[in-house]
Amino acid sequence: MVAFHRTELSQILRVYGRMVAAGEWRDYAMDFGKEQAVFSIFRRMGEVPMYRVTKTPKLSKRQGMWAVVSGQGIILKRGHDLDAVLKVFDRKRHLSVVGE
């Protein structure tokens, strides 16, 4: 069974905590399987996950075992280093003022 190590979970929860404090995320779930561990992020309880952080050790020698997947199933970032993959959430949001 694939699971997150304490240091890996700490890195993920650090990003999660920052986004909860910003009011963007509200809930999470973890799923552990034979080939993959998944940390799902939700905007509200009972919805489809907005993002999934996946750990698939089988891909560690290829594209990298870490991936961030959008709610639509699009891989936003994949790699060998969890910190680098989680930087996808550090992107600054583009805000614009709507005219009156």
Side-chain angles (χ1 to χ4, degrees):
M1 186 164 79
V2 178
F4 298 111
H5 295 280
R6 183 177 294 213
T7 55
E8 298 165 346
L9 192 55
S10 175
Q11 289 174 299
I12 295 169
L13 287 173
R14 190 175 328 122
V15 173
Y16 176 78
R18 191 178 68 234
M19 298 301 268
V20 166
E24 295 190 29
W25 299 347
R26 300 206 184 241
D27 201 12
Y28 72 90
M30 290 188 281
D31 182 33
F32 306 108
K34 289 184 179 182
E35 294 186 16
Q36 188 177 57
V38 180
F39 186 94
S40 300
I41 300 162
F42 300 87
R43 184 175 308 244
R44 288 183 208 82
M45 255 177 37
E47 286 188 350
V48 188
M50 290 173 52
Y51 301 104
R52 290 177 290 137
V53 178
T54 63
K55 176 183 179 182
T56 313
K58 192 180 210 180
L59 299 175
S60 65
K61 296 196 182 196
R62 294 183 180 173
Q63 303 129 337
M65 73 172 150
W66 295 103
V68 173
V69 183
S70 74
Q72 294 80 24
I74 300 168
I75 297 174
L76 302 175
K77 183 92 171 163
R78 181 183 297 255
H80 298 282
D81 181 37
L82 178 58
D83 263 341
V85 171
L86 291 175
K87 287 189 192 261
V88 74
F89 298 119
D90 290 344
R91 293 184 182 154
K92 302 206 186 243
R93 307 218 181 265
H94 298 287
L95 301 175
S96 59
V97 178
V98 178
E100 298 174 299

